[in-house]
Amino acid sequence: MPDQAPIDVYTWPTPNGHKVHIMLEETGLPYRAHAVDIGRGDQFAPEFLAISPNNKIPAITDPAGPDGQPISLFESGAILVYLAGKTGQLLPKTDRARFEVLQWLMFQMGGVGPMLGQAHHFRMYAPEKLPYAIDRYTNEARRLYGVIDRRLEKCAFVGGDDYSIADIAIFPWLRSWQNQGVVLDDYPALKAWFDGIAARPAVQRGVQVLADRRKPITDDKSRDILFGKSQYERR
Ligand SMILES: N[C@@H](CCC(=O)N[C@@H](CS)C(=O)NCC(=O)O)C(=O)O
């Protein structure tokens, strides 16, 4: 798409941001990544909230939307579907195959992301070590890895025979398996798929986007912004 003006991506180097970076790299769409430092509170800036009212990255603005007018979108799953539709790539065209991919994309959005996110939270960030919460989300993480492993015993890719937005949505979350209390070698089909996705040049470029800006959330200010008063006492 030589005439396409760059898509503006408001993002941070986390799994949900990486999904969109990888998709943009895979499709070859021109884009500009704008850092939204979520540990510093950039997600509460009025201009970001105007396009992402849930104060979360990623969000995009495409100057050339479906009707030729600009369009802004938040929620990584919606962004992946949009970019697949725009480019005709990474989402099958036949109904049966497309719905198969979409169900696994929803499985990522409703299950893998939220549960692995909680596993990270209680294992890495919670100020107290809460055994019940750690067990609950570590067990859930392992269960979800099992679901993906069994799927990949039957199919080359999570969404079916072909690489798709379902793989792009799931892969970035599994890169932090150690922090989720999971051992990747326990899931052989998943591990083989993971290594194949990790070797793709577009994936390698995607996970490098803003990678130098990422820092561990250890200071009180960042913790308050993400998990405390700044997050919950805001109107
Ligand atoms: N369901 C959303 C989740 C996005 C999300 O959780 N983003 C996190 C970073 S990975 C965020 O921006 N957190 C900032 C905050 O909660 O204030 C999506 O997939 O886009």
Side-chain angles (χ1 to χ4, degrees):
M1 263 180 232
D3 296 336
Q4 160 79 48
I7 293 177
D8 289 304
V9 191
Y10 301 92
T11 189
W12 195 240
T14 64
N16 290 315
H18 287 324
K19 294 178 200 172
V20 176
H21 314 154
I22 292 171
M23 182 67 178
L24 287 161
E25 290 290 343
E26 291 283 8
T27 54
L29 283 166
Y31 70 98
R32 293 186 292 224
H34 304 274
V36 178
D37 184 340
I38 59 174
R40 199 175 63 182
D42 293 357
Q43 67 272 40
F44 302 118
E47 53 279 21
F48 181 69
L49 290 172
I51 60 169
S52 188
N54 194 30
N55 63 264
K56 293 190 192 297
I57 65 92
I60 65 165
T61 299
D62 180 358
D67 44 10
Q69 298 302 309
I71 184 172
S72 294
L73 293 166
F74 68 100
E75 281 294 327
S76 59
I79 296 170
L80 292 179
V81 172
Y82 172 73
L83 295 174
K86 181 180 176 79
T87 57
Q89 296 179 52
L90 298 162
L91 182 61
K93 301 214 170 23
T94 60
D95 285 348
R96 183 172 293 278
R98 188 170 64 257
F99 287 127
E100 197 161 344
V101 167
L102 289 174
Q103 76 182 345
W104 286 98
L105 177 69
M106 299 301 157
F107 159 81
Q108 188 288 313
M109 294 297 296
V112 172
M115 290 298 137
L116 300 191
Q118 295 302 322
H120 276 216
H121 182 82
F122 287 106
R123 297 177 64 88
M124 311 293 296
Y125 300 131
E128 301 157 68
K129 291 281 163 241
L130 300 169
Y132 182 88
I134 291 172
D135 285 354
R136 158 87 182 134
Y137 292 110
T138 304
N139 286 338
E140 219 8 53
R142 292 177 184 157
R143 189 186 70 77
L144 288 162
Y145 275 68
V147 173
I148 300 167
D149 190 51
R150 287 189 293 281
R151 170 68 173 169
L152 290 166
E153 284 171 356
K154 295 197 284 261
C155 299
F157 295 97
V158 177
D161 293 338
D162 298 312
Y163 179 55
S164 75
I165 55 174
D167 303 288
I168 292 175
I170 291 174
F171 170 79
W173 276 99
L174 308 194
R175 291 175 72 226
S176 305
W177 52 271
Q178 281 117 324
N179 296 347
Q180 298 152 12
V182 168
V183 176
L184 214 52
D185 286 333
D186 290 348
Y187 307 93
L190 184 156
K191 169 83 166 63
W193 164 88
F194 181 92
D195 290 343
I197 305 287
R200 294 179 69 89
V203 171
Q204 292 177 357
R205 292 194 300 275
V207 297
Q208 280 312 310
V209 174
L210 301 177
D212 56 330
R213 299 286 307 272
R214 188 157 193 188
K215 49 191 180 294
I217 303 157
T218 43
D219 59 297
D220 287 346
K221 180 122 198 308
S222 298
R223 298 174 64 82
D224 177 73
I225 286 167
L226 286 164
F227 314 130
K229 285 204 191 73
S230 309
Q231 186 73 235
Y232 299 111
E233 292 185 3
R234 205 174 56 84
R235 284 229 8 110

